[in-house]
Each structure stands twice: as C-alpha cells, then as structure tokens.
Amino acid sequence: MLDFVQQLVSGVALGCVYGLIALGFVLVYKATEVVNFAQGDLMMLGGFFAFTFIGMMGLNYWVGFAGAVAAMALFGMLAERIVVRPILGYPQFSIIMATIGLGYFLRSVAGMIWGTDDFKIETPFSQGVLRIGSLVLAHDKLSVIAATIILCTLLWLFFNKTALGTAMRASSENMLAAYYMGIPVKRVVSIVWAISAAVATCAGVLLAPITFIHSNVGLVLGLKAFPAAVLGGFGSIPGAVVGGVLIGVIESMAGFYLPEGWKDVAPYIVLLVVLLLKPEGLFGLHARKKV
Amino acid sequence: MRFLFKTDYEDDIRLFPHSGYVVSYGLLFAVLLIAPYVLSSYLMSQLVFVCIYATVGVALLILTGFTGQASLGHAAFLAIGAYTAAYLQKYNVPFPAYFLAAGALTGCIGALVGFPALRLQGIYLVIATISFAFIVEEILARWESVTNGNEGLRVKALSLLGVTVSRDSPTFYFLCLAVLVLTIVGTLNLLRSPTGRAFVAIRDSETAARSMGVNVALYKVKSFAISAAITGFAGVLFAHKLSFISPEMFTLQLSIEFIIVILIGGTFSLHGAVLGAIFIVMIDPFLTYLKDDMPGIIAGIATTLGAGTATAGNIQSEVAAFASLNGLKGAIYGIIIVLFVLFEPLGLYGRWLKIKLFFQLFPLYKRATFKRQKIYVKSERNR
C-alpha cells in the first residue's frame, strides 16, 4: 500500500510535467489549430536558459526562473513570427512538418551551444522531503504538482475571465470571423505562442531536479506529452492535465508492477485503446461538419 | 512547348503522355544501368540506399500524398520487413519466398493498423502511428527468441537462384533498382485505376468522396496495406544492404526521415520521392565533404583574394571546427525542412515544374501560377 501511494505521487508529479508540456500543445492548438511538435524542445530550451541564468551566472533561483520565462516568451513570439505565421491557413501537414523542423533545429543548436552533457539546476526545494507517517515525498515532486495547479488556475482564469482570453477563444473558433469582428488575430496568435513557450519553460525548470536537462530531453518528454494531449482530447485544457497525469501514473505503475519494458510502452497501449474507443479523446469535443 | 490535345478519355490516364517521356526516362534508365561500371563503390552504395529510400518514399506517398493519411510509423513497417527476412533466412527459406512473405506480413499488419486509423483524423492519426511504431520497436527489443533483442541480428548475403549476391555487387544494385522501378510503375498504374482515383478523392474531401459512393473505410485500409507492403519489400533489401539489424535502427528518427523524403521531393508526384531520397542519402557525403575538403577550398579562396597565410590558416581551422560541430546534420535537417515548408511547399519537383513552365511560357510567366490558397475558415477539426 505504501509503495502504491509512493508510486502514485511520483507518477502524478511526472504526469504534471507531461501535462504542462501538453498544456502548451493545447494552447497553441486551441488558438490556431497548429500542432506544435517543437513544444518539448521549447521546454528544453527554457531549461537551458534557466540553467544559464542560475547555474552559470549565479542569479537567485526565482530571478533566474522569471528571466528564463520572459526570455522564452520572447523566443516563442519570434518563432511564431518566423516559422508559423507565413503558413497559417495551410494544410495541417505542412505546419506539423515546419514545427518538426523547428524542433530539430533547436535540439541541434542547443547541443552545439551547451554541449550534450546532463545539467542540473540547484533549486530551493532540491533537498527537502515531506514525511507523512512512513510516506516520504520529495519536495521537488510536490513543487511540480503545486506549480501545475497554480498555472492551470491562472490559465483558466485568463481564458474565461479576460477579454484577451475571450479573443483567443474566438479566433480559435474561426479565425476569419474573429478578424472581421475586429480581433487582432495576428497579435493574439503571437501572444498564444508566448504563453505556451512560457508554460513550457515552467515545465522545464520544474523538471530540472527530477530528470536532468540535456539537449534531447525535449524529444523524449515531448513524445510522452503528445499522448497526454491526445488522451485528454486535443484542445481541452483540463483534458491536457488529466491526460498528462494519467500517462504519468500509468508509466510509473507499469514500471513498478509490470516486467521490464512495459514502462515505455504502456502509455502508448493505453492511448491506442482509448483512441479506438473514443477517437476524440477523453474530453474532446466531437464536431461534425455540416455540408 | 508541346501542346497535349486530349481527344479521348483514355488520353487523361496514359502512362506516358507523349514520346518525350519515353525517350527521357529510357535515357535515365540506361544511365542507371551502366552506373555500377562507372561509379566508385562508395557512390554505388549510396545509390542502393537511394533506391531503398525512394521505394519507401513512394510507399509513403501512396498513403500520405495521395490518400491524405499522415503516418509517422513507417520505420516500424520497414523493421517488420527486415526482421521477417532475417528470421526466415535462418531457416534456409529461399530469397523470393521470404521477400514475398515479408511484403505479405507487413501488408497484413498495415491493414490491421489501418482499421483503428479509420476513425482517426489528422493529429490523432499521427500520434496513433507513432504509438504503433514505439510498440513495434519495444517488441523487437524484447522478443529475444525471434529478434535476438538489442544484440541485433546478422543478415547473411542473399542467394538468388543458387548464386550468392553480395551487398556491394552490381547485381544487388540491379535488384534494388528493379524493385524501385516496379514499385514506381505499379504505383503509376494504381493511381490511374479506380482505386487510385478513390484514394485521391478521399484525400481531397472525405465527405465528398463518401457522397460519390466511395467506400472510404475500405480504401483507407487498402491504402495502408499497400503502403505497408511496399515498405516491407524495401525492408528486406534494407536488411540485406546493412547485413546487420537491431531495434535502434528503426526509430522515430527514421520515420521522420521518410517524411522528409516526400516533403523535400514534393508530396504530389512520384518524382518527388526519388528526388527526396537522393537528397536524404546525399546529406552524409555532403557533410563529409564539408568536413574534409571545404576548409581547404575556402582557405585557398581566401589566399587568392589576398589574405595572408596566417589568416587563411585561421579561416581554415574555423571552417573545419564549424563543419565538425556535433549535431550539424540535425540543424541542417531542421533548416531545410522549415525552408521547404515556407518557401517551396511543392518540393524539388515543384521547383522543376516552375523552371520548366518559365521556359515554356518564356515572356509570359506569371509568378502567381503556383500560388497556394490560404484557407482560414476550413477547420480540419470538424472535417
């Protein structure tokens, strides 16, 4: 029983990271119907920025964190401006390819700049543990869970209570109609990319104590976050987080209870089964085209 | 410029619209036939890989380019073909038998993948195929009695009609070339048959295809099966060419390379698959060239431009350092994909068409001829 709870918590913590990356996918997809295959690499880059600020320049953890988030938000806007804006409105396949290319590029360049070693960021909660009875919970895992809850609440408030959030939802429904209604669609898309890059950075920095940062971490985790987003139904913010947590829990349970090798495959098997039964994901909207 | 007057419905689906095609493809084929006696063994090896990659590219074109079903799992089909060949070879099954068996098995598995794919669209399909590829990769690594796990399997040289064909011999190249040519001709014939027209109809609009009486489910599964089977054939050749296979050769990276093949070549024409394959295979020799010869050449240019020996040496070492950077290949891949998507979505073949049209219409060329239309309203979410 104790083992089970232990696995559950670490699964949820890992799942929250997947959920945070998936959140980035979902934000971009919701607003622009672009599937950003480079999201994991944005996370990796955010982690490296934070490492540069904190580990190499010796800034305070929180200052470095904020700096990395701000830098990545700018970078997200830049990436949107250069790579995505010219091909908005083209078939999804081209956009997927463009973001795959962007991901390749970021991964290689990060490898060139920071090398291919593993890096570690010292965080204020790296050391501490919380003991409840004989249950031992590491602070860095709890911090991931807490941060995910906070970020989700903020995003939910942002999307539902602010004018900008409403504008984003409007342009996701129909870009052209939103444009006619006076919504500055281009700026909205830019901001969405900035937010999604910032969220990815949060994931990257929170992740740093759990799995180290290296130039391929984005690919590895991005490929886990994709099933999370799809499982939750692409385009649903709570779905992304729930999907992420599910994937994380399945993975850590499979790693503990099933023979070796199942850990990496179990999330994908569950994903295929869910897609077979419910092709639009758990929380996805089932839309039909009217002719 | 040659005008094609079509006076018959049959004219629309001719294999060769006019004699010029026969002549130019015949010449190309002749050049390819004498190639092994002219080129160095390294280039021949690359040419074999071009044939294999182009075969997979054509297979992927049938699925992605013509039926509109994106797949990032083709490395798995290649792996299944390769492993079937390697496994059956251990039991002394003759080459033609296991070649066909690999294709048949991969085709069946492709059809099985096609069934779940029926209900999936766009991004969901991409993720499902990636998941399938991961599961296959893991099975290959774990099913040690058959696949020998991560140790990998040795593949003996293939023997055809009692003659051993080594992987570097011209005969092996001719075999790969034959498979490629048969695949291309077969695909061309497929595409002008009712099945091929149904594929294209599904790609353009599933709803419209269904309302025209196309059995969408059947044709999607067919498309998956055909594409997988061809990839399986290519897998057999791949296994023989490498003479050693292990699970980590068939990763997502390889699937993405196949997508790059059809993207760079152009996703609407079979020429594209071949051009893209040439591109992907030649990027490694290009990087070697960049590393070995390029620094010297640039330094030479700098010297002739009047730079001192010391400066030229500096330039040489800097260029060499840049060319041997870790991950340069990935960066080049990335940049090239992005540039192609942004500026030349029709691929290399599209560029060739534009050049051809420019000369055909010489003073009257309009840049907007190939302009794509942006569609802001048509959401792929509710298709």
Side-chain angles (χ1 to χ4, degrees), chain B residues 78-263:
Chain B
L78 195 77
I80 293 170
Y83 269 95
T84 315
Y87 184 70
L88 289 179
Q89 202 191 27
K90 281 200 292 195
Y91 297 96
N92 293 324
V93 178
F95 172 75
Y98 67 71
F99 186 71
L100 293 178
L105 177 70
T106 331
C108 292
I109 294 177
L112 284 182
V113 178
F115 277 111
L118 288 180
R119 301 181 60 186
L120 302 177
Q121 283 286 350
I123 182 66
Y124 294 93
L125 183 60
V126 172
I127 298 299
T129 51
I130 290 180
S131 308
F132 163 72
F134 275 130
I135 293 170
V136 168
E137 203 186 320
E138 202 62 34
I139 290 174
L140 292 181
R142 301 287 160 191
W143 195 8
E144 296 192 347
S145 57
V146 173
T147 66
N148 212 9
N150 283 321
E151 307 270 300
L153 269 180
R154 294 225 151 270
V155 186
K156 281 175 284 183
L158 73 88
S159 67
L160 191 60
L161 306 172
V163 185
T164 308
V165 181
S166 96
R167 61 195 179 114
D168 296 320
S169 65
T171 322
F172 187 72
Y173 161 71
F174 288 136
L175 188 68
C176 293
L177 187 65
V179 170
L180 174 63
V181 171
L182 284 179
T183 309
I184 290 177
V185 175
T187 308
L188 280 176
N189 278 325
L190 177 79
L191 288 176
R192 59 199 189 120
S193 73
T195 312
R197 310 316 300 167
F199 286 172
V200 176
I202 291 173
R203 174 192 68 187
D204 288 345
S205 165
E206 218 177 295
T207 317
R210 186 172 285 128
S211 59
M212 293 294 286
V214 173
N215 185 345
V216 173
L218 176 73
Y219 282 106
K220 275 188 179 175
V221 172
K222 259 192 197 175
S223 170
F224 257 99
I226 293 171
S227 175
I230 296 174
T231 316
F233 289 136
V236 179
L237 299 176
F238 193 65
H240 277 299
K241 180 64 194 167
L242 292 175
S243 81
F244 173 78
I245 48 175
S246 72
E248 64 258 31
M249 288 173 179
F250 304 97
T251 50
L252 183 69
Q253 163 84 18
L254 190 64
S255 297
I256 293 180
E257 276 184 21
F258 292 145
I259 290 273
I260 298 176
V261 165
I262 64 168
L263 181 88

Side-chain angles (χ1 to χ4, degrees), chain A residues 105-165:
Chain A
F105 181 69
L106 294 182
R107 223 173 298 142
S108 315
V109 169
M112 286 179 196
I113 297 176
W114 286 284
T116 43
D117 301 332
D118 289 359
F119 293 103
K120 189 177 187 312
I121 301 177
E122 288 303 325
T123 63
F125 20 75
S126 290
Q127 313 301 335
V129 286
L130 179 70
R131 287 177 197 280
I132 307 171
S134 48
L135 187 68
V136 183
L137 303 174
H139 275 178
D140 46 16
K141 288 185 178 161
L142 292 177
S143 72
V144 173
I145 299 176
T148 308
I149 295 171
I150 295 171
L151 269 177
C152 288
T153 319
L154 285 179
L155 283 175
W156 185 84
L157 285 176
F158 174 72
F159 267 94
N160 289 295
K161 302 288 178 196
T162 64
L164 187 57

